């Protein structure tokens, strides 16, 4: 019995670490408070990145004669770290489901970068809000 548990843990280290982290956040109040602060900080960082992406699109729009320039989140990701993009695609297709990338995430990441980042920041900020 213990041997099978050890094999499961060693085969699924990411899953095990995630479960331990979630259990710690649920049952240990100081850890939950620290997690909320970290989520709020991360939400603010995403808002700054969204503002930078919006300014970048606005600057490119003013610099070109062709009209409105909108850069998708996927274009930014491909420009900055193409290796990580391929790793995420491969991991999702092998570990979760191949259609997840094509049907959901590719459409989401085709939206403007500032919209994706601001949306993620709003969701994280709402999840980490101070409750009364």
């Amino acid at each position: 019995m213990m041997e099978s548990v050890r094999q499961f843990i060693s085969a699924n280290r990411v899953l095990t670490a995630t479960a331990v982290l979630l259990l710690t956040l649920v049952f240990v109040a100081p850890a939950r408070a620290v997690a909320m602060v970290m989520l709020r900080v991360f939400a603010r960082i995403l808002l700054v990145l969204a503002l930078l992406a919006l300014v970048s699109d606005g600057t490119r729009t003013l610099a070109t004669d062709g009209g409105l320039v909108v850069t998708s989140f996927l274009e930014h990701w491909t420009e900055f770290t193409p290796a990580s993009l391929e790793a995420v695609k491969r991991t999702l297709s092998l570990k979760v489901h191949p259609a997840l990338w094509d049907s959901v995430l590719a459409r989401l990441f085709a939206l403007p970068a500032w919209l994706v980042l601001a949306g993620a920041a709003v969701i994280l900020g709402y999840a980490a809000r101070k409750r009364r």
Side-chain angles (χ1 to χ4, degrees):
M1 168 89 175
M2 288 304 291
E3 186 60 35
S4 64
V5 171
R6 284 189 191 123
Q7 288 176 351
F8 178 78
I9 290 173
S10 65
N12 298 304
R13 291 184 182 180
V14 173
L15 180 65
T16 306
T18 305
V20 168
L21 179 66
L22 288 175
L23 288 172
T24 303
L25 292 176
V26 168
F27 293 113
V28 180
R32 190 171 38 245
V34 169
M36 293 300 181
V37 169
M38 293 303 295
L39 280 177
R40 285 193 291 270
V41 167
F42 190 59
R44 289 183 179 133
I45 290 170
L46 286 177
L47 270 177
V48 168
L49 291 175
L51 182 64
L52 287 173
L54 183 62
V55 167
S56 172
D57 284 348
T59 304
R60 289 181 184 171
T61 298
L62 292 175
T64 61
D65 296 331
L68 182 66
V69 175
V70 178
T71 309
S72 72
F73 183 78
L74 193 59
E75 289 176 35
H76 278 294
W77 196 355
T78 304
E79 180 181 339
F80 290 121
T81 57
S84 69
L85 175 63
E86 291 303 318
V88 168
K89 283 182 184 178
R90 186 176 55 250
T91 302
L92 287 175
S93 65
L94 292 175
K95 299 279 184 177
V96 182
H97 196 278
L100 177 66
W101 180 264
D102 295 329
S103 62
V104 178
L105 293 179
R107 290 182 185 173
L108 177 70
F109 292 160
L111 294 172
W114 59 268
L115 183 63
V116 173
L117 292 169
V122 167
I123 290 169
L124 286 178
Y126 181 76
R129 72 189 186 285
K130 292 181 180 179
R131 292 170 179 87
R132 298 175 195 222

